[in-house]
Amino acid sequence: MDPVLDACGITKRYGDTAVLAGVDLQIPAGSVLALLGANGAGKTTMVRVLATLLRPDAGTAQIAGHDVLTEPDAVRGVIGLTGQFVAVDDVLTGAENLALMTRLAHLPRVERASRVRMLLEKFDLSAAAQRRVSTYSGGMRRRLDLALSLVRAPRLLFLDEPTTGLDPASREAMWAAVQDLVADGTAVLLTTQYLQEADRLADRIVVLDHGRVAAAGSADELKAAFGREVVRLSVCDPLSALRLLGDRAAIDATGTVDVSTDGSAEAVRRLLVELHHAGVVVDRIALERPTLDDVFLGLTARAAHGVDA
Amino acid sequence: MKAIAVAWGDNTAMIGRSLRRSSRDVEALVTAIMLPIVLMLLFVFVFGGAIDTGTYVVPGIILVCAGFGASSTAVAVCSDMVNGIVDRFRSMQIVSSAVLTGHVVASLARNLVAMTLVVAVAIMMGWRPTTNPARWLGAVGMVMLFMLAFSWLSAALGMVARSPDAATGFTFLFLFLPYASSAFVPVDTMPTWLQGFATHQPVTPVIETLRGLLMGGPVTSSAWLAIAWCLAIAALSWTAAVDLFVRRTG
C-alpha cells in the first residue's frame, strides 16, 4: 500500500541558510513518525511545508495521493494540524470552537452537534464546554487544540511539539489519544523535543540535524546503531580496574566502573575474563541499555564535529 | 453550485465567529459606540458657535465614526495573524478570504450600530435632516459602501502590520482623512497647500454626497466620484488583503 505521506528531497532556504537540505520522509497509514532534532534543525519548517503553509524551494510531496504543491486544497482536506502554538479562539467557548470547525470542515449539518459532543467527551472537556477558552488551563487548551484538528478524521495528522509545557497527566492523556487515532489508521507526523515521547509513540524516528536526515530507523535500531550498551561493574578496587581498561571505562561518583560495550554476551564474557586474569574482583554487574537521549546527543555531537552520520 | 454553497458556508461560519468575538469584547464595543457620540457632543458644544453644526458636523461625525469603526478591522485581522489560529485556518480546505470577510462584515455590523446611535443622538440634539425615504436610503448606502471600502483597506493594513499595537497605529490614517476633507469646514477656508489634497481625496466626494442627500442639494457628480473611489479602494484592498493572506508564510 502507498504511504500516506511520501515526501522527497524537500529543500527550503532562507537567504544562504538551508533550513531543509533535501529531506525524504514516508509514513504508512496507522503509524507514527517522530521527527527529532535540536531547536533550529528544521522540524517545524518541514511540518509547515507539508501542511501547505510554506512553499519549499525544491522537492515533492504527496499526501494520500494529492500533491502538496499543485493540489494544496485537496491536501488540506485530508490533513489535521496541531501546530507548535495552540490554535484556538480564546474568546469563544470550547463548544463554539468545535462547532466552528465542524462547519469549516464541511460536515453535514445533521452530524455537527453529535461530533462536537463526542469530541468534548473524548477529550474530557464536557464540563468546560460552555466556558470561554481564555479560562482554560494549558492542558485543556492543548486537548481542545487536538480535538479541533480531529473534527474531520484526518488521514495524516501533524503534531508539532504537542506536549511542550504540559503536566505529566495531560501528557499521558495526549499520548493515549494519539495512540487511539493511530489504531484507527491515521498516520501521524510528530515533532518533539522529548525523546521519551518519541520512544513511546513512534514506529519510526528520523533525526534531523541542520536540515539533513542524520539518522532514521526504529527506536531500537537507532539505539543499536548509535547508542552504546554500558556494563556497570561494582569492584573492590576501582582504580586498578580503571588502569587495566584505560579509555574504555569511566568511574562514577559511587565508585562504579562503567564500560562501553556493543552489548553482546561475548563482549561481556571477554571483559570479565580480562578482569579476572588481572586479579580484579567483580562483585556484581549490571547492563544498561542506551536511551534515545544517548543516541540523540551522540548524533548531534558527531554532526557538530563534521563527521558524516 | 456546490462551490458556491461551500463558499457561503465558510463565509457565514467566519462571520458568525467575528460577530461573537465583537459582542464579547465589551470594552472595544463601548469605545466603538461611545467615541463617535462623545466626538459629536464635543463638536456641537465646543465648535458649535464657529461652524455650521447641522450642515457640517453631523455628516462629518458619521464619516469619522465610519472610518474609526473600519480601522478596528486592522486590529482584528492582525490579532488573528499573530495567533496560531491562522495556521489552522490556512491548513483547512476553506475559502481563504473567509477569515477576512468575517472580520469585515463584523466591522460593518458594529459600525451600523454605532451609526444608528450617533444619528439618534444628533436628532435628539435638534439636527433636522431630510425626511425623504429615498434620500435616507441613498445616504445609508453611501455610508455602507464607504465603510466596506475602508474596512477592506483596514484588513489589508492589518495583514501588513506586525503586531496589533502597530495595527492600532493605522487608525490615525482613518481619523485624519475626514478632518482633511470638506467634512467639518469648507475646503476654501483651508490653506492653499492643503486645498489640493482636501479636494481630491476620497472622503470629500463621499461627504459631499452625504451632505447633499441628508441636507438637500445636488449630489449626482460627487456621488459618481464617491462610488468610483469606494469601489476602487474596496477592489484593490480586497485583492491585496486576500493575496497577502494566501501568501503570508509567517
Side-chain angles (χ1 to χ4, degrees):
Chain A
M1 200 172 76
D2 285 339
V4 176
L5 169 70
D6 191 355
C8 191
I10 299 292
T11 301
K12 180 74 193 175
R13 24 181 98 253
Y14 288 108
D16 288 339
T17 320
V19 182
L20 295 170
V23 176
D24 302 341
L25 290 182
Q26 274 90 33
I27 311 179
S31 84
V32 179
L33 182 139
L35 211 48
L36 296 184
N39 285 332
K43 306 186 298 284
T44 294
T45 307
M46 189 68 185
V47 167
R48 293 183 66 82
V49 165
L50 296 175
T52 75
L53 298 176
L54 193 59
R55 277 190 83 83
D57 296 316
T60 58
Q62 276 83 40
I63 295 177
H66 302 294
D67 192 290
V68 170
L69 288 171
T70 58
E71 310 162 77
D73 211 44
V75 167
R76 287 173 194 143
V78 295
I79 62 172
L81 172 66
T82 298
Q84 202 164 9
F85 302 103
V86 172
V88 296
D89 192 322
D90 276 332
V91 183
L92 303 185
T93 67
E96 285 169 344
N97 265 285
L98 280 163
L100 174 64
M101 290 304 148
T102 59
R103 292 190 63 186
L104 294 177
H106 310 137
L107 289 193
R109 193 179 292 268
V110 290
E111 291 172 20
R112 291 179 196 159
S114 60
R115 186 77 186 159
V116 169
R117 259 200 313 282
M118 191 277 271
L119 285 166
L120 285 169
E121 228 155 84
K122 185 175 167 72
F123 288 91
D124 197 19
L125 291 166
S126 298
Q130 306 306 327
R131 266 165 50 198
R132 283 195 208 178
V133 174
S134 52
T135 66
Y136 282 21
S137 70
M140 291 163 77
R141 290 164 62 84
R142 236 340 174 185
R143 294 206 300 275
L144 177 63
D145 194 33
L146 181 57
L148 294 183
S149 312
L150 302 177
V151 156
R152 172 172 233 161
R155 301 283 304 279
L156 173 63
L157 176 66
F158 297 99
L159 294 171
D160 196 0
E161 302 195 5
T163 61
T164 301
L166 288 193
D167 60 71
S170 302
R171 181 168 300 164
E172 200 59 48
M174 192 71 146
W175 289 347
V178 172
Q179 281 169 329
D180 282 354
L181 279 174
V182 173
D184 291 342
T186 304
V188 175
L189 174 56
L190 166 79
T191 82
T192 182
Q193 301 205 346
Y194 301 117
L195 302 169
Q196 187 201 357
E197 186 165 85
D199 215 355
R200 165 81 178 268
L201 292 177
D203 299 292
R204 201 176 140 77
I205 294 171
V206 169
V207 181
L208 275 190
D209 192 67
H210 293 92
R212 290 175 191 282
V213 175
S218 68
D220 285 339
E221 283 166 4
L222 288 182
K223 287 173 190 169
F226 299 99
R228 317 186 65 176
E229 209 130 337
V230 173
V231 181
R232 314 195 72 189
L233 304 167
S234 299
V235 295
C236 299
D237 184 2
L239 289 180
S240 59
L242 269 186
R243 261 196 307 277
L244 174 72
L245 298 169
D247 278 353
R248 283 180 290 161
I251 188 163
D252 74 7
T254 62
T256 306
V257 176
D258 292 350
V259 187
S260 300
T261 76
D262 61 5
S264 68
E266 178 57 21
V268 176
R269 193 188 64 80
R270 272 206 310 269
L271 174 68
L272 291 176
V273 166
E274 191 181 353
L275 288 162
H276 177 72
H277 284 312
V280 179
V281 179
V282 179
D283 284 342
R284 39 183 70 242
I285 70 168
L287 268 175
E288 206 152 89
R289 299 219 56 208
T291 64
L292 269 182
D293 294 70
D294 301 332
V295 173
F296 182 67
L297 291 173
L299 274 171
T300 42
R302 283 156 62 110
H305 288 102
V307 181
D308 270 349
Chain B
M1 261 334 269
K2 185 161 178 290
I4 293 172
V6 165
W8 174 256
D10 291 350
N11 278 300
T12 49
M14 286 300 190
I15 290 168
R17 163 181 184 250
S18 293
L19 285 175
R20 276 216 173 88
R21 287 177 61 90
S22 295
S23 69
R24 284 175 198 177
D25 190 351
V26 177
E27 279 173 43
L29 205 59
V30 167
T31 312
I33 290 169
M34 288 310 291
L35 184 98
I37 293 177
V38 169
L39 219 60
M40 187 171 62
L41 297 176
L42 191 78
F43 266 84
V44 171
F45 291 118
V46 178
F47 307 119
I51 52 184
D52 177 355
T53 329
T55 318
Y56 276 93
V57 168
V58 178
I61 291 292
I62 287 176
L63 278 204
V64 169
C65 170
F68 174 73
S71 71
S72 63
T73 315
V75 181
V77 167
C78 190
S79 302
D80 262 3
M81 294 308 292
V82 297
N83 187 303
I85 201 158
V86 72
D87 281 345
R88 178 175 298 292
F89 293 145
R90 288 180 68 232
S91 69
M92 294 183 82
Q93 195 176 25
I94 57 175
V95 178
S96 36
S97 59
V99 182
L100 299 173
T101 306
H103 287 307
V104 167
V105 173
S107 152
L108 284 181
R110 276 196 308 272
N111 239 330
L112 279 178
V113 174
M115 201 78 60
T116 310
L117 286 172
V118 164
V119 170
V121 171
I123 289 174
M124 278 192 290
M125 290 172 65
W127 180 53
R128 290 294 170 261
T130 177
T131 49
N132 177 339
R135 285 184 164 242
W136 264 112
L137 213 60
V140 171
M142 184 72 257
V143 173
M144 285 190 67
L145 186 61
F146 176 81
M147 292 193 301
L148 184 75
F150 279 79
S151 291
W152 274 109
L153 176 59
S154 187
L157 292 174
M159 289 301 308
V160 177
R162 290 273 158 220
S163 73
D165 283 342
T168 310
F170 291 131
T171 52
F172 166 77
L173 174 73
F174 295 83
L175 288 176
F176 160 80
L177 276 182
Y179 289 105
S181 78
S182 62
F184 295 106
V185 292
V187 170
D188 55 25
T189 62
M190 295 179 186
T192 336
W193 58 268
L194 193 57
Q195 283 187 18
F197 175 78
T199 311
H200 297 292
Q201 66 125 321
V203 175
T204 294
V206 175
I207 194 79
E208 293 300 333
T209 306
L210 206 55
R211 190 177 292 133
L213 286 168
L214 292 175
M215 311 311 295
V219 290
T220 328
S221 66
S222 61
W224 288 120
L225 194 58
I227 291 169
W229 263 115
C230 287
L231 288 179
I233 291 171
L236 281 176
S237 303
W238 184 86
T239 312
V242 173
D243 190 53
L244 283 166
F245 184 85
V246 172
R247 284 193 309 170
R248 170 94 163 225
T249 51

